[in-house]
Amino acid sequence: MSMKEVLKLVGLGALAVTLGVECLDWLARRLWPGRGSHGPLNEVLFFPSPPACVEHLFTPARTLPCSCSLPHGVETSFGKMLGHVLSAKVSLDLCVFSFSHVELCRAVLLLHSRGIAVRVLTDADYMLITGSQIGALRRAGICVRHDVSNAVHMHHKFALVDRRKLITGSLNWTLTAVQSNKENVMVTEEPDLVPPYQKEFESLWEASDPGKRHPHSFSQSDFSGHAA
Amino acid sequence: MSMKEVLKLVGLGALAVTLGVECLDWLARRLWPGRGSHGPLNEVLFFPSPPACVEHLFTPARTLPCSCSLPHGVETSFGKMLGHVLSAKVSLDLCVFSFSHVELCRAVLLLHSRGIAVRVLTDADYMLITGSQIGALRRAGICVRHDVSNAVHMHHKFALVDRRKLITGSLNWTLTAVQSNKENVMVTEEPDLVPPYQKEFESLWEASDPGKRHPHSFSQSDFSGHAA
């Protein structure tokens, strides 16, 4: 075989491989839109989400069907969001203004019980409202910090799963937000979007360290012992 | 020149072009991170944003320096956000829970005066609070609709610029959110993320059409004429 024929063969081979890869890529994007081989996960969820059973997300190995009165086998925005939270394998960094949703609290407690590193940052005022789940998280031993800056509110509503998946949007982690409000939640693994949120979380976490509070941020009663 | 030499030359030429493009691409990503030739715009802004003059964004052709007392020449998160809003050339679709920020209102009014198609969708309760700019938008002739569904709140905080740039996050369009809260705003042109928000906007806009309200959603007094 002459050199010319070898070069021709190599050229045609390269062309065939390129076309094959392009076809497979096209097929992948058709079959899994939003998660094609071209890009990372990008999913948008809108609320309100209708009430539906999410027991299968907590106990996927369960053999008996759930007997609760909620609709079963329904895929909802909330179910998808909960699935993303429960997908954590290493860490969950949560930065949320208001957290009173019982099932989301159950998910966070479950992750903690599995040994996943959970950090929760919340608003100083809203963590005290009726129905807040912050107390339950703290009682379970989860490290919770609240904003101690001069900000009026720590109004974020984002979560970072394994430092690579960002869940963010307008939705507070409350039942009203999930079932009654018009809300949006974006789930993304975009490498341009996730790191800034992780960096902001680390910065806020550091700034909310109770051990590093400046003395004059304590009130007089903090130093008055039993005399108060 | 023999065929073998021609093929060799073409091969080397192709290699040189490929390497050149890769080098330019690498350079572009180093010089403009987040807007490399590899991907669409993705920018994350965090708040609170310090007060600073934004007059240059409204009147870029102005020759005299602004004489206001705010700091000048400071690039802030709010300035960047405002710049994105003002970048609209064709349309602005705004879906926001609470809108009382005067400079953001001024931006929306300016876009409207330039003939840009502005649509504003807001929350029925929050559009009536003290300081709300919704009345000013309506008086200027901007089409404003409010949520008429059974939702407790229309809690979104997103804007679509020219149907291709999405501005979304935790931030309501208020002075407290901009200057006093811990907030996040994401600006993205990701083709996986923008269309779902545009679709949701169209759906909410349609559902909030006052001309299409179901008769029984009116109260009895709506039909009682002067007898009320």
Side-chain angles (χ1 to χ4, degrees):
Chain A
M1 197 184 274
S2 72
M3 180 59 86
K4 189 178 154 185
E5 282 173 328
V6 169
L7 282 169
K8 203 171 158 184
L9 210 67
V10 168
L12 282 171
L15 188 70
V17 168
T18 309
L19 282 173
V21 167
E22 281 298 314
C23 285
L24 279 174
D25 180 46
W26 177 85
L27 204 67
R29 273 180 289 144
R30 296 280 294 189
L31 290 172
W32 303 288
R35 197 161 192 172
S37 56
H38 256 313
L41 167 71
N42 274 320
E43 192 175 358
V44 184
L45 306 170
F46 291 104
F47 296 77
S49 184
C53 178
V54 288
E55 196 52 43
H56 59 289
L57 295 171
F58 289 103
T59 47
R62 181 193 173 109
T63 46
L64 284 171
C66 175
S67 59
C68 79
S69 61
L70 291 169
H72 290 79
V74 187
E75 198 174 49
T76 63
S77 292
F78 178 65
K80 287 180 189 174
M81 179 187 166
L82 190 63
H84 284 297
V85 173
L86 285 168
S87 74
K89 295 281 176 279
V90 181
S91 65
L92 178 77
D93 291 328
L94 177 60
C95 192
V96 69
F97 174 57
S98 183
F99 188 169
S100 59
H101 197 290
V102 174
E103 296 292 343
L104 282 166
C105 178
R106 185 183 166 197
V108 175
L109 291 174
L110 182 62
L111 293 179
H112 175 65
S113 75
R114 284 177 186 162
I116 286 150
V118 178
R119 295 186 289 180
V120 179
L121 192 55
T122 191
D123 183 70
D125 297 329
Y126 271 68
M127 71 177 184
L128 304 171
I129 60 164
T130 311
S132 170
Q133 297 297 309
I134 296 297
L137 299 178
R138 278 191 161 140
R139 281 191 295 278
I142 291 174
C143 196
V144 179
R145 291 185 183 172
H146 60 267
D147 191 52
V148 290
S149 73
N150 292 326
V152 171
H153 282 305
M154 201 300 297
H155 202 239
H156 291 297
K157 309 106 172 39
F158 69 84
L160 291 146
V161 175
D162 297 341
R163 305 176 72 91
R164 62 172 182 79
K165 186 191 282 182
L166 169 69
I167 304 170
T168 188
S170 66
L171 182 131
N172 283 301
W173 287 30
T174 70
L175 193 64
T176 301
V178 168
Q179 288 190 1
S180 306
N181 283 357
K182 298 273 201 285
E183 306 268 8
N184 66 84
V185 165
M186 177 194 291
V187 185
T188 181
E189 290 181 355
E190 279 296 338
D192 288 341
L193 296 173
V194 182
Y197 281 87
Q198 188 70 54
K199 196 178 160 195
E200 182 71 0
F201 183 87
E202 301 300 342
S203 160
L204 295 174
W205 187 253
E206 210 45 44
S208 307
D209 184 346
K212 288 184 185 167
R213 265 198 283 183
H214 196 277
H216 72 232
S217 71
F218 290 93
S219 68
Q220 193 57 43
S221 64
D222 287 312
F223 303 96
S224 57
H226 297 289
Chain B
M1 196 183 275
S2 72
M3 179 59 86
K4 190 177 154 187
E5 281 171 329
V6 169
L7 281 170
K8 203 171 159 185
L9 209 67
V10 168
L12 282 171
L15 189 68
V17 167
T18 309
L19 281 173
V21 167
E22 281 297 315
C23 283
L24 281 174
D25 180 45
W26 177 84
L27 204 66
R29 272 180 289 144
R30 296 279 295 191
L31 289 173
W32 303 288
R35 199 165 190 169
S37 55
H38 257 312
L41 168 71
N42 274 319
E43 192 175 358
V44 184
L45 306 170
F46 292 104
F47 296 77
S49 184
C53 178
V54 288
E55 196 53 43
H56 60 288
L57 296 171
F58 289 104
T59 49
R62 180 192 174 110
T63 47
L64 285 171
C66 175
S67 60
C68 80
S69 62
L70 292 170
H72 290 80
V74 187
E75 197 175 48
T76 63
S77 292
F78 178 65
K80 288 181 189 173
M81 181 188 165
L82 190 62
H84 284 298
V85 172
L86 285 167
S87 74
K89 296 280 174 280
V90 182
S91 65
L92 178 77
D93 292 327
L94 177 59
C95 192
V96 69
F97 174 57
S98 182
F99 189 168
S100 59
H101 198 290
V102 174
E103 297 292 344
L104 282 166
C105 177
R106 186 181 165 199
V108 175
L109 292 173
L110 182 63
L111 294 178
H112 176 64
S113 74
R114 285 178 186 161
I116 285 151
V118 178
R119 295 186 288 181
V120 179
L121 190 57
T122 192
D123 182 71
D125 297 328
Y126 270 70
M127 70 178 185
L128 304 170
I129 61 164
T130 311
S132 169
Q133 298 296 309
I134 296 298
L137 300 177
R138 278 192 162 139
R139 282 191 296 277
I142 291 174
C143 196
V144 180
R145 291 184 183 173
H146 60 266
D147 191 54
V148 291
S149 71
N150 291 326
V152 171
H153 282 305
M154 202 300 297
H155 201 241
H156 291 298
K157 310 106 174 36
F158 70 85
L160 291 146
V161 175
D162 297 340
R163 304 176 73 90
R164 66 175 179 78
K165 186 192 282 183
L166 169 69
I167 303 169
T168 188
S170 66
L171 183 131
N172 283 301
W173 286 30
T174 70
L175 193 64
T176 301
V178 169
Q179 288 191 3
S180 306
N181 283 356
K182 297 273 200 288
E183 305 268 9
N184 67 84
V185 164
M186 177 193 292
V187 185
T188 182
E189 291 181 354
E190 280 295 337
D192 288 340
L193 296 173
V194 182
Y197 281 86
Q198 188 69 56
K199 196 177 160 196
E200 182 71 1
F201 183 88
E202 302 301 342
S203 161
L204 295 174
W205 187 254
E206 211 44 44
S208 307
D209 184 347
K212 287 183 184 167
R213 266 199 282 183
H214 197 274
H216 73 232
S217 71
F218 290 94
S219 68
Q220 192 58 42
S221 63
D222 286 313
F223 303 99
S224 58
H226 297 290

